[in-house]
Amino acid sequence: MLDGPKKYQTRVEFALDYITQEIAQGNLKAGDKLPNEKDLAEQLGISRTPIREAMKTLAVAGLIDIRHGHGSYVRGEQGAPALPLNLFQLYLQDSTPEMLMELRDIFDRNCTELAAQRRTDADLAKMRECIDRLRALTEQPNASLDDMLKADLDFHRAIYEATGNKLITTVAEFVLNMVAPWVKKSLDVSGRIRAVDLHEQMYASILNQEVGVPSRMSVEANMKHFKQSLDQE
């Protein structure tokens, strides 16, 4: 969907990718000791400094325990069930706006269709309230941008909830929280009324229980608007 250049990967990101992949693939399991900084640096062909920074990031993310004088360990068995979620959260924090946009696009395309098939009157009422709230705010010259952002994100939350899938709503909340600053920028620089109109398109698609091309067209219009906002200085 995006045709821009890929983000240049720093040495710290390179080290992070290697270690997290080793954990995600099970090559390093809960309780395992990681190779020391010197060995990892030689193995990856980089200095020890980015290895050290990567270790600090992984410790903050809750993926490893750094035991001074003893080395670094993948979090013990009690933390093992949370490892995939911690990995996901770590990747989200290190994502570019474009990466987040692609992830959000996948969510919105599929969730809009599921919502169209499963929505209840209560779901539709929630979506309608969010759009009306956003519209009212856009008509106020001094309206808070944070209030508009909340109305915008609440609309998307209502769509995710309408899928009736708790897994979707839980993961989607992570995505929304990370993409929120860029949605705020979109509202600020690209015309607030346009945002309302695009939400109306998605709402109409769900209301009319459209699936396939008609449903995806409404999402694509939203994503195109979002991308244009990111491209503006």
Side-chain angles (χ1 to χ4, degrees), residues 50-145:
I51 298 293
R52 190 174 302 115
E53 291 303 313
M55 292 291 196
K56 290 178 182 177
T57 299
L58 292 169
V60 171
L63 286 167
I64 68 171
D65 289 324
I66 298 177
R67 305 172 189 173
H68 297 290
H70 298 281
S72 299
Y73 294 79
V74 180
R75 287 194 63 190
E77 292 297 337
Q78 68 275 11
L83 286 178
L85 186 57
N86 288 341
L87 277 171
F88 182 68
Q89 192 169 13
L90 177 63
Y91 289 144
L92 280 179
Q93 292 170 350
D94 192 45
S95 297
T96 64
E98 291 77 13
M99 290 166 65
L100 289 168
M101 178 179 163
E102 289 176 345
L103 181 59
R104 184 185 172 198
D105 180 59
I106 291 172
F107 265 91
D108 282 7
R109 284 173 185 263
N110 293 281
C111 289
T112 299
E113 289 198 5
L114 277 177
Q117 295 168 348
R118 300 174 179 176
R119 90 288 188 280
T120 64
D121 289 343
D123 292 323
L124 291 171
K126 283 184 183 179
M127 294 176 209
R128 182 73 266 163
E129 186 277 329
C130 294
I131 296 176
D132 291 346
R133 183 167 19 122
L134 181 59
R135 185 186 300 279
L137 288 166
T138 62
E139 294 171 353
Q140 300 174 20
N142 299 318
S144 164
L145 195 57

Side-chain angles (χ1 to χ4, degrees), residues 207-221:
L207 174 67
N208 297 324
Q209 296 189 299
E210 296 174 341
V211 296
V213 174
S215 173
R216 292 172 184 269
M217 286 178 64
S218 69
V219 176
E220 286 175 2

